[in-house]
Amino acid sequence: MAFQQRVRTTALGAAAAVALVEVTTHLPSEGRSSLAYHRFFDGVVTPLARRLLDPELAHHVALDVVRLGLAPRLSREGGGDAGGDGGGGRIDMSVEILGTGGGRKIRFPGPIGLAAGFDKDGSAMPGLFDMGFSFVEIGSVTPLPQPGNARPRSFRLVEDRGVINRFGFNSEGVKRVGERLADYRREFGGRGGDIATIAAIEKEGGSKEGGEGRSNTAGDSILWAMGWAWNRLMTTMPRTGVLGVNLGKNKTSEDDVEDYTVGIRELGPYADYLVINVSSPNTPGLRSLQQREPLRNLLECTMKARDEFAPHALLFVKLSPDLTIDDMADVATVVMDSGLDGMIVSNTTNARPEILVSNHRYEAGGLSGAPIKDRSTECIRTMYRLTEGKLPIIGVGGVGSGRDAFDKMKAGASLVQVYSMMVYEGPGLVSRIRKELAEILLENGYKSVDEVVGSSCEDIYWNRREEKVRRKMQENEKKEKEIIDL
């Protein structure tokens, strides 16, 4: 542990030194990082981290770099000419997700977000938004703290550009994460910023020492101070966006519904949307909750909890890519009947495609990254068809380019999440995806993200377009009537 701490401190110190290059050679404009800084991180720092650090240690170092604000921020190219989400003002890159009831809706500034698993405990949210994510999903968070499975539990499949993990919901628990979320909302505001819970926590004295999970060692204190100064010097753009919280259950829990209810009660007030994770392959018995009756009961109970404790938040369920077509049909029926707001498709897979060549391919755990890209896209298309395009889908799995994101949108995803491919592409991947996606939309004559969603399912796609046109005409007629009446 002492050696790992020295390596971690050295790596963070090196990152701080490298940041001086950005300050002295090419100051960011409007809070953005230069292409040189991106190329250095993606072409030098990321490959070195893969070579020198084991996967879990590299993960912790990367999280610290982001937490301290030293990771490359959104590039000018990724932000677009007009500071938009890659569209340069020529394309409407925003995405509006409507809830199924209660008037709930969220307007996402762009379609590219971070999947759960990177920032499990909500320690680096501002830095992640700085990188260019339009929405960030933290977690999975369990009610009680738990260490997860024994190490080693994360493996790179370098030749396959994949990752296998069997973390097992390692989490600091809802109490600690709730303190961080309260601090975040207090500083940056957002949908959860005006809730009574904030005032209640402030009345109790707020979160205790340690701020964003800082260590009290002298080295970390110095690095945190450098990060603070760096952020104040370099950041002029809001360090916020749409925030999701992914909820899990404790490994030894005997009451699944209660575990998810606790998560909704404690963290829901701070979230823009919540995710019921029933698809991790690393918690025994969890995936059985995707069966028809257990899922129906779970969704009914968690929706009641959402309505009581976080009525503003949208509620999603995260699904496995290992479901059979019959399983997916059952899930689609239950989800549509329940009135849930949406789905995330898909989690990691237990399957091992024959094309894998890495020596780690037979490690137990969930496979993610490039090897799962096509399977997750097909799952998105299947669920989009089964729900007739009526339920929003967040697509995730092997997204490493703007083309990958575009393909998932055509299959039916309204939003797309990124995670594992950053292991190989570096943090600049976010800016590149935004830029590439905007260019693809322009080349194909699209004026908005919404026009792309589900376009490969033509029958459903055109029915949806006609329905939207009719709805828009009805709204215009209503407005005209109101004006005439005046």
Side-chain angles (χ1 to χ4, degrees), residues 52-86:
L52 300 177
L53 305 178
D54 72 70
E56 187 161 357
L57 178 57
H59 182 164
H60 289 305
V61 170
L63 190 60
D64 282 343
V65 167
V66 174
R67 177 173 61 84
L68 295 169
L70 302 176
R73 289 178 170 79
L74 174 67
S75 69
R76 177 175 290 279
E77 290 75 12
D81 301 333
D85 201 80

Side-chain angles (χ1 to χ4, degrees), residues 56 59-60 63 114-125 128 136-142 146-149 153-154 165-174 176-178 180-181 244-248 267 277 280 282-283 347 419:
E56 187 161 357
H59 182 164
H60 289 305
L63 190 60
L114 176 70
F118 180 76
D119 189 3
K120 290 176 176 290
D121 299 306
S123 63
M125 294 174 286
L128 291 167
V136 168
E137 188 176 312
I138 68 167
S140 294
V141 187
T142 57
Q146 64 179 29
N149 295 324
R153 52 191 181 180
S154 181
N165 90 81
R166 51 173 181 260
F167 282 109
F169 283 170
N170 53 312
S171 173
E172 293 183 13
V174 297
R176 186 70 187 97
V177 174
R180 290 201 184 101
L181 289 173
V245 178
N246 187 299
L247 303 173
L267 305 181
N277 188 349
S280 169
N282 303 313
T283 297
N347 212 320
Y419 175 17

Side-chain angles (χ1 to χ4, degrees), residues 318-339:
K318 188 166 186 176
L319 303 174
S320 164
D322 299 329
L323 295 171
T324 66
I325 187 63
D326 290 338
D327 291 335
M328 285 192 271
D330 284 345
V331 168
T333 298
V334 171
V335 169
M336 292 293 287
D337 290 346
S338 70

Side-chain angles (χ1 to χ4, degrees), residues 8-308:
R8 186 174 178 178
T9 302
T10 301
L12 287 172
V18 167
L20 292 177
V21 176
E22 179 75 344
V23 177
T24 57
T25 63
H26 192 153
L27 284 171
S29 174
E30 297 178 345
R32 307 192 193 283
S33 287
S34 67
L35 280 179
Y37 195 48
H38 276 257
R39 288 167 182 158
F40 185 81
F41 253 86
D42 296 344
V44 178
V45 176
T46 299
L48 276 177
R50 285 201 309 271
R51 179 178 294 272
L52 300 177
L53 305 178
D54 72 70
E56 187 161 357
L57 178 57
H59 182 164
H60 289 305
V61 170
L63 190 60
D64 282 343
V65 167
V66 174
R67 177 173 61 84
L68 295 169
L70 302 176
R73 289 178 170 79
L74 174 67
S75 69
R76 177 175 290 279
E77 290 75 12
D81 301 333
D85 201 80
R90 294 166 291 177
I91 303 174
D92 181 7
M93 300 296 286
S94 66
V95 179
E96 187 173 78
I97 301 295
L98 301 176
T100 55
R104 286 177 289 268
K105 68 178 179 179
I106 301 177
R107 190 170 186 83
F108 292 75
I112 306 302
L114 176 70
F118 180 76
D119 189 3
K120 290 176 176 290
D121 299 306
S123 63
M125 294 174 286
L128 291 167
F129 285 119
D130 282 347
M131 285 173 58
F133 289 112
S134 295
F135 63 105
V136 168
E137 188 176 312
I138 68 167
S140 294
V141 187
T142 57
L144 299 175
Q146 64 179 29
N149 295 324
R151 303 186 187 192
R153 52 191 181 180
S154 181
F155 308 88
R156 302 186 192 101
L157 282 65
V158 178
E159 300 88 347
D160 306 299
R161 295 171 65 78
V163 176
I164 290 176
N165 90 81
R166 51 173 181 260
F167 282 109
F169 283 170
N170 53 312
S171 173
E172 293 183 13
V174 297
K175 184 177 185 298
R176 186 70 187 97
V177 174
E179 291 171 351
R180 290 201 184 101
L181 289 173
D183 288 343
Y184 174 80
R185 287 304 193 191
R186 188 179 296 112
E187 182 172 1
F188 297 103
R191 287 175 65 93
D194 299 326
I195 59 173
T197 309
I198 294 285
I201 290 177
E202 287 180 338
K203 186 176 181 180
E204 294 172 4
S207 59
K208 304 299 184 279
E209 67 272 6
E212 294 288 330
R214 298 199 305 273
S215 166
N216 290 323
T217 65
D220 276 1
S221 296
I222 293 172
L223 287 170
W224 178 85
M226 292 174 64
W228 182 90
W230 169 266
N231 290 328
R232 294 305 183 272
L233 173 67
M234 306 298 279
T235 303
T236 59
M237 300 180 67
R239 291 156 56 82
T240 189
V242 175
L243 180 63
V245 178
N246 187 299
L247 303 173
K249 64 182 286 290
N250 283 113
K251 183 176 182 179
T252 59
S253 172
E254 296 181 358
D255 190 337
D256 303 327
V257 170
E258 178 61 20
D259 273 22
Y260 290 109
T261 299
V262 168
I264 293 171
R265 184 183 69 225
E266 299 299 324
L267 305 181
Y270 308 110
D272 294 303
Y273 72 89
L274 294 160
V275 181
I276 304 301
N277 188 349
V278 292
S279 52
S280 169
N282 303 313
T283 297
L286 184 70
R287 286 190 165 186
S288 65
L289 294 175
Q290 295 175 110
Q291 296 173 6
R292 181 189 285 262
E293 291 310 315
L295 182 62
R296 188 186 304 278
N297 178 61
L298 178 63
L299 294 185
E300 288 178 357
C301 293
T302 52
M303 288 184 67
K304 288 179 181 177
R306 186 276 307 272
D307 292 343
E308 180 177 358

Side-chain angles (χ1 to χ4, degrees), residues 90-96 384 406 409-414 441-442 444-458 461-462 464-465 468-469:
R90 294 166 291 177
I91 303 174
D92 181 7
M93 300 296 286
S94 66
V95 179
E96 187 173 78
Y384 183 81
F406 182 67
M409 289 177 180
K410 287 178 63 180
S414 298
L441 296 183
L442 281 172
N444 287 274
Y446 291 108
K447 297 181 180 179
S448 69
V449 170
D450 182 66
E451 292 181 4
V452 182
V453 178
S455 57
S456 67
C457 306
E458 292 192 11
Y461 175 78
W462 288 112
R464 284 183 64 245
R465 300 300 300 172
K468 288 188 176 183
V469 170

